[in-house]
């Protein structure tokens, strides 16, 4: 047996099932005359019209698959004929806001059907009573044409219009605010009629309104009896009402509406209609029949011509059809206590539905659904959804009543796609290509309702050709040449009656080609670097008690699961020049790392070995004299400055002290003290007194130690007459020292009366300044700050070998700043050999040190030469290649 | 110095010398770090002691207490400036130390610049211009060696100065280059610079070698003394 697939959920069901066992939707369509209630319909009365069941089922089938509505359980047969209440209840359900996708599963549980609102309970089969009454009054409709389901006679229907009309009038008066000015006019004039006339006139005079349909003034003889009486009664007070209604019923939305003329020939009423008020206030007077079409059908046919420019909901004129029917319905629901005074009684019947459907943007009632007779399902266009036009600005709908805009949005244009799924009326509604405005009081009953009447209602008269009430064929209405352009596109976007969802709205039309972005614009396009993850319904739980189950909801949202973003690097458009620069940057960033990673291989193996080899070579060269080796002469090359230093010391006066400056630290003491010892020994030979000073904190301490050590070793040291100590301030301190010697060294406990020091008042009183410096900067400070102040005091420097090249220029010139220079260990040895030959060691430790120094120098020289040759052989001196070569 | 001080000094010197020289064989090790840190710490401690005794005590506090009243404002001003330097200990008071720091930097710069002009720049310029390009010996003949020396000094000075001439004219969008004459002269100056740097490097090597020789001899001497049991 083949399964039936549910049109709602798509799941298979047994072939003999009437309703889907999963979602409860009706599986088989209900045709005219079928008394079975729709399975998916909510509770309704036993006398519910089949056409409504079909319509409801059709709507359920047309509902998008992703609808958030819970499946409706199979409902028992309707207990009563309160189909309006069912619509109300259903509308309430459909107006629920769409649940989020994450809660979709949760909302699939069968939801209880909300009970119909109290306002709709007293409704009876009043609509069914309308048709016999209309047919009875219309000569074009045979009495036998009434539908079987609504063939129950309405007692006293022909004679009741004045009664129920008076009830409506009384009720309207009761609903009106006590401060309303129209109540003062007495009960002679029905207020709803005033509004109706004012609205009628306003609609007729609307400049933007399309031309009126073929609404000819009804002949008095063609009007129903009840309507004729109303007309006769109301025509007497036309002038008074016109003047009052303009001020009473002028809509705030149309304040600039000019005052209508007292009487308009186009109006079927023959009087000017007041500004439109909330639609249900006035029981819309049925328009006089045109031809053989009854009133209610005429409204429907005229509603068919309602264009997209002015949808029926915005104008709310379609309610006029219902109102006209209500005029023939004896009882009307009573007003709720808390209802606003502006809301009419008829509106209370549809109050819940209005509010619910108004939120959705859809308007079933705008299509005249409430007054629609039973009709078979319309299969050809029932699947056709309302094409949505995202982005298209719908024509402005001038709501002509004072309802809040948020409570009654425009219909249907401007509604987001997917929020509203139109029932089978969509095709007929869309067929209205010519914008027309129905007269006040006329219900905008669309074509589908006409077709329903024509097909499902047995007494539906055959409309005359050319009559506005003649409902065109739906296929004719859906022709491509009759549809507006925007509707054709949408129709092409959703062929086959598919759902008009967002995806359908985004479909590219056939007559448009895919645009190609220019490169510069494409480069500015944002790159979709992250693709949003989707819920994997087939995910298998791996841990916990639900391990192994599929489709288990994850504990955390999908978007929160850490994952590597999918970078769409292919979208990056780069020119060849940019790629070249990118490659260069990559090499600059990566290749040094590669080289650095290669370097430790050489460094860890070669550098320690090379350092140990060089250390071994130097140590062997230094300790070579211990084994009796003597390769070098004790006397070396004596520079001119070295010679001048010895000559100067040899010529110094013995009665003037020499100032010795110790400008070195302990690390340079082994080198400096070798030359210092030679110079101090030479001064001692001359019997010259010395005074110590230093611009470094530990300078004089080293000088004291040197002198004491030499004295202990029997080396002659000059007598120390004063230790000036540390002179702070660097160059500034030396400048101050050169300017005021005694004041600068005042705090060093110097006895200025001791020996030759008594004659010393400044630096010029010293016979010589001996600077023992390890750095050229110290010598320069003494030259720049002291020599410029005391140029007559010669300066002799003993510096390290490293400072020789930088200090030597001061010894050149006709007036050298440094008179003599002794540099390094070699210079000290040369000085000793030249001026202290008696102390020159030819054996012992001192002679061995000189041999060690010479041997070490030779070893360094050989090592340097070997290194240069090896580097040349290995190509280490080759010019490194540039990046990119 | 008594015998204990000499032996103790030699022992400490031997230990720290060996600790520093251990870097040659063991790279960065505990003994090397111990010797280095001890040298730095002792130097810093001695520096602080010298500053307190030689500067704060002898050159400030004693004159402050014993100086005549006329010099007190200057000494107090110096003390205030010195105390303001402590503001650098806290970032909130660092601006307070800007005044004495500005004073120090300004005075030091003035002293150095003045001394450089009068002690180095002008005398060196005069000394470089004095030698004759055709010197003669005392006999009145041309001194060839002196002439070569003077010409070498002149050429070396000019070309070295030309090497440090970094001005270049822009050539539209191309890379700016030196003037043609300066570029070739600078190449000669680079040669003289290489010789000068080589001489400095050689002097540094000789200084290090002299220190190494002295230390090795100290170690050997100490070992001999300690091994023989006497100061010899």
């Amino acid at each position: 047996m083949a399964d039936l697939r549910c049109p709602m959920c798509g799941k298979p069901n047994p072939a003999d099932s009437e309703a889907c066992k999963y979602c409860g939707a009706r599986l088989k369509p209900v045709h005219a005359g079928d008394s079975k209630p729709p399975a998916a319909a909510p509770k309704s009365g036993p006398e519910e019209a089949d056409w409504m069941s079909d319509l409801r089922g059709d709507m359920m089938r047309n509902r998008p698959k992703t609808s958030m509505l819970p499946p409706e359980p199979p409902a028992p047969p309707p207990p009563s004929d309160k189909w309006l209440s069912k619509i109300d209840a259903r509308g309430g359900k459909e107006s629920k806001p769409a649940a989020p996708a994450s809660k979709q599963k949760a909302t699939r549980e069968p939801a209880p059907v909300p009970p119909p609102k109290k306002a709709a309970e007293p409704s009876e089969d009043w609509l069914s009573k309308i048709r016999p009454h209309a047919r009875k009054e219309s000569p074009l409709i045979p009495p036998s044409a009434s539908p079987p389901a609504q063939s129950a006679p309405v007692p006293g229907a022909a004679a009741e219009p004045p009664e129920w009309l008076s009830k409506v009038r009384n009720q309207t008066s009761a609903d009106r605010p006590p401060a309303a000015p129209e109540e003062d006019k007495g009960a002679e004039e029905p207020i709803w009629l005033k509004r109706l006339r004012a609205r009628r006139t306003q609609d007729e005079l609307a400049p933007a309104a399309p031309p009126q349909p073929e609404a000819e003034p009804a002949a008095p003889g063609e009007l129903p009896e009840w309507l004729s009486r109303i007309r006769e009664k109301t025509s007497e007070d036309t002038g008074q009402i016109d003047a009052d209604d303009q001020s009473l019923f002028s809509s705030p939305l149309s304040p600039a509406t000019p005052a209508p003329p007292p009487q308009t020939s186009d109006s079927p009423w023959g009087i000017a209609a007041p500004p439109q008020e909330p639609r249900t206030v006035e029981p819309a007077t049925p328009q006089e029949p045109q031809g053989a079409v009854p009133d209610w059908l005429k409204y429907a046919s005229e509603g068919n011509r309602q264009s997209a420019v002015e949808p029926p909901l915005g104008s709310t004129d379609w309610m006029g059809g219902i109102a006209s029917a209500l005029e023939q319905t004896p009882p009307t629901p009573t007003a709720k206590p808390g209802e606003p005074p502006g809301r009419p009684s008829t509106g209370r019947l549809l109050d819940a539905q209005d509010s619910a459907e108004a939120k959705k943007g859809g308007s079933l009632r705008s299509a005249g659904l409430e007054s629609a007779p039973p009709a078979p399902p319309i299969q050809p266009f029932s699947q056709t959804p309302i094409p949505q036009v995202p982005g298209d600005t719908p024509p402005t709908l001038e709501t002509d009543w004072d309802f809040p805009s948020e409570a009654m949005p425009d219909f249907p244009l401007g509604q987001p796609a997917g929020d509203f799924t139109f029932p089978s009326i969509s095709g007929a509604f869309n067929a209205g290509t010519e914008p027309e405005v129905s007269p006040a009081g006329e219900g905008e009953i669309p074509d589908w309702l006409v077709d329903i009447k024509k097909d499902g209602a047995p007494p539906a008269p055959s409309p005359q050709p050319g009559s506005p009430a003649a409902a065109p064929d739906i296929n004719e209405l859906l022709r491509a040449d009759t549809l507006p352009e925007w509707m054709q596109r949408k129709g092409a976007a959703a062929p086959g009656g598919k759902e008009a969802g967002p995806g359908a709205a985004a479909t590219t039309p056939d007559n448009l080609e895919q645009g190609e972005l220019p490169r510069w614009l494409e480069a500015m396009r944002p790159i979709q670097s992250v693709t949003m993850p989707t819920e994997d319904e087939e995910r298998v739980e791996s841990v916990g008690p639900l391990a192994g189950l599929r489709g288990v909801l994850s504990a955390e949202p999908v978007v929160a699961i850490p994952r590597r973003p999918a970078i769409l690097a292919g979208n990056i458009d780069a020119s060849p020049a940019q790629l070249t620069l990118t490659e260069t940057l990559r090499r600059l960033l990566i290749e040094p790392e590669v080289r650095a990673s290669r370097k430790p291989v050489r460094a860890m193996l070669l550098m320690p070995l090379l350092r140990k080899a060089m250390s071994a070579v130097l140590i062997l060269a230094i300790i070579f004299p211990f084994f009796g080796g003597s390769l070098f002469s004790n006397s070396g090359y004596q520079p001119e400055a070295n010679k001048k230093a010895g000559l100067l010391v040899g010529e110094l006066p013995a009665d003037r002290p020499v100032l010795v400056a110790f400008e070195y630290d302990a690390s340079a003491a082994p080198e400096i003290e070798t030359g210092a010892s030679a110079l101090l020994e030479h001064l001692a030979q001359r019997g010259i007194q010395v005074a110590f000073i230093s611009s470094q904190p530990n300078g004089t301490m080293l000088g004291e130690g040197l002198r004491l050590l030499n004295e202990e070793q029997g080396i002659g040291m000059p007598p120390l007459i004063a230790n000036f100590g540390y002179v702070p301030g660097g160059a500034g301190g030396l400048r101050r020292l050169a300017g005021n010697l005694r004041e600068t060294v005042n705090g060093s406990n110097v006895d200025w009366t001791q020996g030759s020091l008594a004659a010393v008042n400044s630096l010029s009183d010293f016979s010589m300044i001996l600077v023992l410096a390890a750095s050229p900067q110290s010598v320069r400070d003494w030259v720049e700050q002291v020599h410029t102040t005391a140029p007559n005091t010669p300066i002799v420097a003993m510096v390290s070998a490293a400072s020789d090249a930088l200090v030597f220029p001061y010894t050149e010139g006709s007036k050298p700043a440094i008179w003599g220079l002794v540099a390094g260990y070699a210079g000290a040895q040369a000085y000793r050999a030249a001026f202290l030959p008696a102390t020159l060691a030819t054996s012992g430790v001192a002679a061995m040190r000189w041999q060690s120094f010479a041997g070490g120098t030779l070893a360094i020289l050989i090592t340097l030469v070997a290194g240069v040759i090896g580097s040349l052989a290995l190509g280490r001196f080759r010019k490194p290649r540039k990046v990119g070569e | 110095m008594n015998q204990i001080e000499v032996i103790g000094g030699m022992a400490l010197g031997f230990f720290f010398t060996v600790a520093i020289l251990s870097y040659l064989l063991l790279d960065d090790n505990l003994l090397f770090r111990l010797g280095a840190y001890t040298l730095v710490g002792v130097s810093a401690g001695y520096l602080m002691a010298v500053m307190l005794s030689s500067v704060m005590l002898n050159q400030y506090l004693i004159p402050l207490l014993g100086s005549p009243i006329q010099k007190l404002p200057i000494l107090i001003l110096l003390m205030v400036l010195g105390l303001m330097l402590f503001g650098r200990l806290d970032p909130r008071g660092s601006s307070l130390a800007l005044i004495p720091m500005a004073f120090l930097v300004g005075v030091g710069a003035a002293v150095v610049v003045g001394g450089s002009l009068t002690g180095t720049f002008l005398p060196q310029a005069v000394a470089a211009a004095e030698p004759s390009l055709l010197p003669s010996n005392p006999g009145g003949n041309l001194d060839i060696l002196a002439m070569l020396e003077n010409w070498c000094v002149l050429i070396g000075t000019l070309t070295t100065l030309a090497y440090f001439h970094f001005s270049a004219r822009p050539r539209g969008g191309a890379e700016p280059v030196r003037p043609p004459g300066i570029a070739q002269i600078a190449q000669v100056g680079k040669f003289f610079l290489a010789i000068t740097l080589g001489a400095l490097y050689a002097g540094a090597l000789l200084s290090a070698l002299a220190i190494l020789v002295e230390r090795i001899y100290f170690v050997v001497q100490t070992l001999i003394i300690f091994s023989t049991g006497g100061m010899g």
Side-chain angles (χ1 to χ4, degrees), chain A residues 6 28 132 506 531 678 706 715 733 834 884:
Chain A
C6 177
K28 296 179 180 180
T531 56
L706 175 65
I715 301 174

Side-chain angles (χ1 to χ4, degrees), chain A residues 133 284 288 435 437 851:
Chain A
H133 181 69
E288 55 184 304
V437 177
Q851 293 295 327

Side-chain angles (χ1 to χ4, degrees), chain A residues 152-213:
Chain A
V154 180
E160 280 180 357
E163 297 178 6
W164 69 265
L165 192 59
S166 59
K167 293 179 179 178
V168 171
R169 190 179 310 151
N170 296 335
Q171 183 178 356
T172 305
S173 302
D175 293 338
R176 192 168 306 279
E182 58 267 22
E183 288 187 354
D184 299 337
K185 299 179 184 298
E188 295 296 332
E189 178 63 27
I191 300 174
W192 60 269
L193 194 56
K194 298 177 183 178
R195 295 179 177 179
L196 191 63
R197 283 183 301 191
R199 176 183 171 187
R200 178 76 177 191
T201 305
Q202 185 182 20
D203 292 343
E204 292 173 356
L205 294 179
Q212 292 288 336

